[in-house]
Amino acid sequence: MVNLNDDTLDSIFSALADGTRRQVLADLERGTASVSELARPHAMSLPAFMKHLRVLEDAGLIARAKDGRVVSCTLSPEPMRAASDWLARYEKFWNGQLDSLARYLYHDEEIHPWQPEPAPTTPPSSSGSHGASPPPSTASGTPGRTRKR
């Protein structure tokens, strides 16, 4: 296992944080590819794409080699493996925590079995849908004040 310091891990996770860079790594799983082959599926300028390659190279995730005018990239799996090992330590921790939670919930269910709550009873509504309602009043109220002219 490669022993990585915090700065190296930071650069690896920073490089993996972008979808374009993750796609480049996925493309390189099939083998070495030229920069133009890698850039083709991405809707960006070549200089912008080169910046992504630079981040991957600085993190140690890819290696670039030039043969004449063609620059090829190759996947470097060691930093990814080291980052995966670092994550695996926390996976063990969280699996232990989740197992402990599952045991607690199972024990709690044994002591206090779940009972569905009874459906709430609603009082009859006065909306008129459950029987006859009195007809609306047709009488007008008492006459109001009149205006002097």
Side-chain angles (χ1 to χ4, degrees):
M1 175 174 126
V2 174
N3 191 9
L4 299 177
N5 62 28
D6 287 344
D7 291 339
T8 305
L9 276 174
D10 289 348
S11 67
I12 291 168
F13 287 120
S14 178
L16 295 174
D18 183 80
T20 300
R21 294 190 285 264
R22 288 191 305 271
Q23 184 60 51
V24 168
L25 294 174
D27 292 343
L28 288 174
E29 285 178 6
R30 293 186 292 253
T32 301
S34 70
V35 170
S36 59
E37 290 170 341
L38 292 171
R40 191 171 298 125
H42 303 282
M44 65 179 70
S45 67
L46 189 58
F49 185 76
M50 295 297 288
K51 289 179 182 179
H52 285 288
L53 292 182
R54 183 63 171 190
V55 170
L56 290 169
E57 187 177 30
D58 289 347
L61 295 168
I62 66 168
R64 286 196 268 187
K66 190 171 184 179
D67 185 26
R69 293 180 8 167
V70 178
V71 178
S72 299
C73 297
T74 307
L75 187 63
S76 299
E78 277 305 309
M80 186 83 75
R81 194 171 297 125
S84 177
D85 292 344
W86 183 86
L87 287 171
R89 292 188 328 207
Y90 294 96
E91 180 183 16
K92 289 177 188 175
F93 168 77
W94 283 111
N95 283 339
Q97 295 295 95
L98 292 173
D99 289 345
S100 182
L101 176 62
R103 284 190 302 275
Y104 170 78
L105 292 174
Y106 179 77
H107 179 69
D108 190 55
E109 177 64 23
E110 291 293 315
I111 294 171
H112 308 290
W114 180 76
Q115 301 275 330
E117 291 186 24
T121 57
T122 57
S125 70
S126 60
S127 66
S129 61
H130 295 318
S133 62
S137 172
T138 57
S140 62
T142 58
R145 278 183 27 186
T146 58
R147 189 168 58 140
K148 291 184 179 181
R149 291 184 189 202

